[in-house]
Amino acid sequence: MSKNHFFIFNPKSYLYGKELEELARTADKVAKEVDFEIYVTAPYADLYRIKEATENITVCAQHLDGINPGRGMGAVLPDSLKEAGAGAVFLNHAEHPLTLAQLVQAVKRSKELGLTTIVCANTVEEAKAVATLGVDILLCEPTELIGTGQVSDESYVRDTINEIKSIDPNVLIMQAAGISNPLDVYNVISLGADGTGCTSGIVKAGNPKEMLVDMVKAMELAIKGENYDSSL
């Protein structure tokens, strides 16, 4: 499977339990048909359930605390997430920001456990700082655009890609602000992003399963350099 591109379905707290499992199964099915990674995030309590129900996706936790087994009542233990089936983790999302010290420790513990790190950044300057931490995926997403349906402008996309790659050419770059339909997915990948993802555009769609599949297919077209088919 290609390690250079990826799509992330991040339902946040919109979905859980059986409804989330059904969409995860849809993602798992389409993941067999494409040559790139598909991640599905899940609430902590659903990680094991989603892992048991799927074979081809990477199950992703929405956060962790950079602690070791021991004291830490109420904290999110990285080792527990790994044991539950998580293969990746989101860190520093706008809805769960971390201090620099917390982020450094969280990345360290994730690496120790072999968890793929997906770290969020708001501005170009913040993205450049995060790029020095050796993260796997850097999500460049202006906070004010999250959930608005308004995508990042081309200059932001190109600037963040160029700046980050100059610091660490190995980090994969995700652009996902305002992604709400397959054409948005196609366009952002065509601009040079390694990956993208979606929350509300999928969970609030008339047919979430169909939207998820159509977005993945649009991404595949962009990666191959083929024209977008509006009939998707």
Side-chain angles (χ1 to χ4, degrees):
M1 182 173 289
S2 171
K3 297 298 182 182
N4 296 322
H5 292 95
F6 57 90
F7 182 87
I8 301 178
F9 172 41
N10 179 27
K12 299 181 180 176
S13 294
Y14 286 99
L15 301 177
Y16 57 90
K18 187 170 181 58
E19 189 175 7
L20 175 56
E21 180 183 330
E22 290 178 357
L23 268 170
R25 288 182 184 274
T26 297
D28 195 59
K29 182 177 180 179
V30 73
K32 293 177 62 176
E33 304 170 0
V34 296
D35 188 32
F36 52 86
E37 193 84 21
I38 295 182
Y39 296 83
V40 175
T41 72
Y44 310 126
D46 287 304
L47 290 171
Y48 183 79
R49 176 184 190 139
I50 300 305
K51 178 61 177 178
E52 287 293 293
T54 58
E55 297 178 352
N56 306 296
I57 62 172
T58 297
V59 180
C60 181
Q62 298 180 2
H63 167 76
L64 61 72
D65 295 301
I67 62 173
N68 291 290
R71 297 185 63 178
M73 180 67 175
V76 181
L77 177 65
D79 307 70
S80 177
L81 300 180
K82 178 75 173 183
E83 188 74 14
V89 61
F90 260 93
L91 296 170
N92 198 44
H93 192 276
E95 297 175 11
H96 207 314
L98 299 174
T99 66
L100 179 58
Q102 290 171 331
L103 180 57
V104 169
Q105 186 61 24
V107 170
K108 177 177 180 290
R109 287 260 46 225
S110 298
K111 287 180 174 294
E112 289 172 354
L113 293 169
L115 295 171
T116 297
T117 49
I118 306 166
V119 182
C120 305
N122 178 11
T123 64
V124 174
E125 291 73 22
E126 188 175 330
K128 289 166 63 177
V130 172
T132 65
L133 301 181
V135 304
D136 297 303
I137 295 173
L138 208 166
L139 168 53
C140 305
E141 188 172 53
T143 302
E144 67 272 14
L145 297 184
I146 295 175
T148 65
Q150 179 182 346
V151 298
S152 301
D153 61 57
E154 290 190 17
S155 62
Y156 175 90
V157 173
R158 295 188 189 279
D159 287 350
T160 50
I161 291 173
N162 291 335
E163 294 283 358
I164 293 166
K165 292 293 188 181
S166 69
I167 295 170
D168 184 351
N170 295 314
V171 65
L172 299 180
I173 301 172
M174 177 179 178
Q175 301 276 355
I179 299 296
S180 58
N181 57 61
L183 181 58
D184 289 339
V185 171
Y186 181 88
N187 287 338
V188 77
I189 297 301
S190 297
L191 285 173
D194 299 303
T196 189
C198 186
T199 298
S200 57
I202 293 175
V203 300
K204 295 183 178 181
N207 187 328
K209 293 180 181 179
E210 184 177 277
M211 178 62 77
L212 172 59
V213 172
D214 287 350
M215 285 186 172
V216 172
K217 289 182 177 179
M219 181 167 176
E220 186 176 33
L221 288 175
I223 293 171
K224 292 180 177 179
E226 299 179 8
N227 292 330
Y228 175 75
D229 183 355
S230 60
S231 66
L232 274 172

